[in-house]
Amino acid sequence: MKLLFLTHRIPYPPNKGDKISSFNMMRFLSQKNDIYLGTFIDNEDDWQYLPKLDDYCKEVCAQRLNGRIGAMGALLGLLKNLPLSIGWYRNRRLQQWVDRILTDVKPDAVLMFSAATGQFIYGKTPEGMRTIFDAEDVDSEKFRVYAKDKSWPFSLIYRHEARRLLAYERRMAQSFDSSVFVSKDEADLFKSLCPEAAEKITYRTQGVDIDFFNPAHDLPTPFKDDEKALVFVGAMNYWPNIQAAEWYVSEVLPQVRKAHPDATFYIVGMAPTAAVRKLAETPGVVVTGSVDDVRPYVKHAWAVCLPLQLARGIQNKALEAMAMEKRIIATSAAMVGIELTGKFKPLIADDAQGLVKHSISVLSQEIVVDKSARQLIVDQYSWDANLKILEDLIFDRKNAAPKA
């Protein structure tokens, strides 16, 4: 079968949330299908990985996501009442390539990953060509929450973006054969916002590479002998991650260090902003920037901390920590979408004092191996099992994903 796969960011290397998902889709679907990949590159370092895509794809069209051109596209999109975040991805060359693939290759189906890619297909597919819109999260809801958190004029900008993006998401959902979200919670939310397309809204779930994220690997500790490390992992140019790290450092860590002066909060992730790097000036905080492998940090930590106040979909960082048999201290938002069954019980608190209590409790013990966390991942979050459901949906097979 032939599949046109569109992603808003190159699906390699799988080193952040959306790229983990899109890479695994590409990897799995390429096993039995010819993949025609249209994508964007927003980081100059990622051009080196372009040849890697040939291992999975029949043909690739990769376009540079240029800030100046993106801004022009966003402004032009405003004239058509498009969301800024959709106009940012307007690209004539990718559109021409997509049009050629639709006409000459005649793929059996189109999989659009993330909201920005729907514009390249909308109104262009012939009768009988399956169209699957993998929206991942309800992006418009994210901007709605941003509007409440930010001061004017950003609150106004985010409020208008949320309104326009929801209208766009609803238009895509009505046009395509199916809209897929990353969890039942996200699908139910979008169903309430887009009741006219409710019958075409469904969900999948995230997966974890349980062989890679396996605590049995020999991974030397990156920590000093006199440190008790609590670890936060994530792309550190992403606002919800920045907000979470700043909150923990300012409101939680000082009280934790009164009880445990050796407590160290490690912020592990690529592209830390100036605000994140400044956190390293706080006693007990280490900002690593990009690392070759996050697993040693997770394996040897007393716990993985996920103090997210804003989260959409399922957090890969939570699933990966669970696969590593790690205790998790988290807000309820960070664990949304993860079906907690069996004996695994994360330490949940939504206020600073609750996180202080859990952090002190964990550090008062030796490192605890939580085998129940990994067992839950093995039982429910295998990539291939989850993506088999998506493949059936794409090609309209009988084992399609459940309705939300």
Side-chain angles (χ1 to χ4, degrees):
M1 305 289 277
K2 293 176 289 188
L3 176 67
L4 173 57
F5 185 30
L6 301 177
T7 68
H8 72 299
R9 186 179 286 117
I10 181 174
Y12 198 93
N15 56 2
K16 60 186 299 184
D18 62 277
K19 294 173 76 170
I20 291 170
S21 296
S22 58
F23 167 76
N24 278 284
M25 290 178 185
M26 178 179 68
R27 174 194 59 78
F28 180 82
L29 294 169
S30 68
Q31 293 172 10
K32 298 179 182 178
N33 307 286
D34 289 336
I35 304 293
Y36 295 81
L37 174 68
T39 191
F40 290 93
I41 294 181
D42 61 357
N43 185 331
E44 288 301 310
D45 288 344
D46 282 350
W47 285 104
Q48 65 181 302
Y49 302 115
L50 204 56
K52 283 282 188 180
L53 302 179
D54 293 336
D55 295 339
Y56 306 96
C57 302
K58 187 83 170 177
E59 185 176 332
V60 175
C61 177
Q63 295 296 314
R64 176 177 276 103
L65 196 59
N66 179 283
R68 182 177 60 83
I69 295 174
M72 289 176 59
L75 292 174
L76 288 173
L78 282 178
L79 300 177
K80 299 182 179 181
N81 204 32
L82 281 174
L84 291 168
S85 52
I86 302 303
W88 187 271
Y89 284 88
R90 290 170 65 87
N91 186 284
R92 179 175 55 84
R93 289 180 179 177
L94 185 61
Q95 185 65 72
Q96 290 172 342
W97 181 83
V98 168
D99 292 345
R100 179 179 67 78
I101 296 298
L102 292 175
T103 301
D104 297 347
V105 176
K106 297 180 174 59
D108 299 285
V110 183
L111 174 60
M112 294 150 279
F113 181 84
S114 182
T117 61
Q119 62 185 304
F120 299 104
I121 293 299
Y122 183 72
K124 291 179 174 289
T125 52
E127 187 74 24
M129 186 180 293
R130 292 278 293 170
T131 50
I132 307 300
F133 184 43
D134 190 290
E136 290 284 283
D137 311 322
V138 185
D139 274 349
S140 56
E141 184 68 7
K142 175 178 64 181
F143 284 104
R144 188 188 68 80
V145 175
Y146 281 2
K148 293 196 302 183
D149 271 1
K150 299 289 187 177
S151 57
W152 191 90
F154 295 104
S155 59
L156 180 64
I157 294 170
Y158 286 134
R159 188 158 54 248
H160 283 299
E161 182 70 0
R163 176 178 55 79
R164 285 191 295 261
L165 189 53
L166 178 57
Y168 171 89
E169 290 168 336
R170 292 175 68 174
R171 191 161 64 249
M172 297 299 111
Q174 292 176 76
S175 174
F176 301 136
D177 290 316
S178 187
S179 293
V180 185
F181 290 85
V182 77
S183 70
K184 188 176 186 301
D185 290 328
E186 288 292 297
D188 286 343
L189 171 60
F190 190 64
K191 187 175 179 181
S192 71
L193 297 170
C194 184
E196 64 274 20
E199 289 302 309
K200 298 196 291 182
I201 296 170
T202 187
Y203 65 95
R204 60 175 180 83
T205 190
Q206 286 296 81
V208 180
D209 184 338
I210 58 176
D211 295 324
F212 184 75
F213 288 98
N214 188 332
H217 291 303
D218 184 15
L219 302 167
T221 181
F223 307 128
K224 299 175 183 176
D225 291 341
D226 60 349
E227 291 179 327
K228 288 186 175 180
L230 298 170
V231 169
F232 178 81
V233 177
M236 295 315 302
N237 59 351
Y238 180 51
W239 167 242
N241 288 344
I242 297 169
Q243 180 190 48
E246 290 180 333
W247 182 46
Y248 191 89
V249 169
S250 65
E251 302 298 326
V252 180
L253 186 61
Q255 297 182 66
V256 174
R257 282 177 58 83
K258 285 181 181 179
H260 294 279
D262 50 359
T264 308
F265 185 56
Y266 272 76
I267 302 170
V268 182
M270 65 175 66
T273 63
V276 173
R277 292 195 301 271
K278 188 173 179 58
L279 294 177
E281 298 174 7
T282 305
V285 177
V286 176
V287 178
T288 69
S290 181
V291 296
D292 292 334
D293 192 346
V294 301
R295 294 175 302 166
Y297 293 88
V298 174
K299 177 175 179 175
H300 295 286
W302 257 252
V304 167
C305 287
L306 304 174
L308 294 162
Q309 295 171 297
L310 171 61
R312 299 246 56 87
I314 293 177
Q315 299 299 309
N316 287 293
K317 55 180 74 76
L319 299 179
E320 291 164 0
M322 292 164 63
M324 295 289 288
E325 299 182 343
K326 191 54 52 180
R327 298 194 78 178
I328 292 178
I329 301 169
T331 58
S332 54
M335 302 303 292
V336 166
I338 299 176
E339 296 186 20
L340 301 178
T341 60
K343 297 179 180 179
F344 172 66
K345 303 294 181 187
L347 301 171
I348 301 292
D350 289 324
D351 65 309
Q353 285 308 120
L355 292 175
V356 169
K357 176 184 175 182
H358 289 320
S359 300
I360 290 174
S361 174
V362 165
L363 294 174
S364 298
Q365 310 168 40
E366 293 301 314
I367 293 179
V368 173
V369 173
D370 194 341
K371 293 186 178 298
S372 62
R374 180 171 173 82
Q375 191 60 52
L376 177 59
I377 297 299
V378 171
D379 291 345
Q380 296 191 32
Y381 292 94
S382 159
W383 265 121
D384 285 7
N386 290 325
L387 291 176
K388 178 63 169 67
I389 295 174
L390 180 63
E391 184 181 45
D392 289 341
L393 180 67
I394 291 169
F395 295 111
D396 200 20
R397 296 168 185 157
K398 63 180 181 179
N399 297 319
K403 298 296 181 185

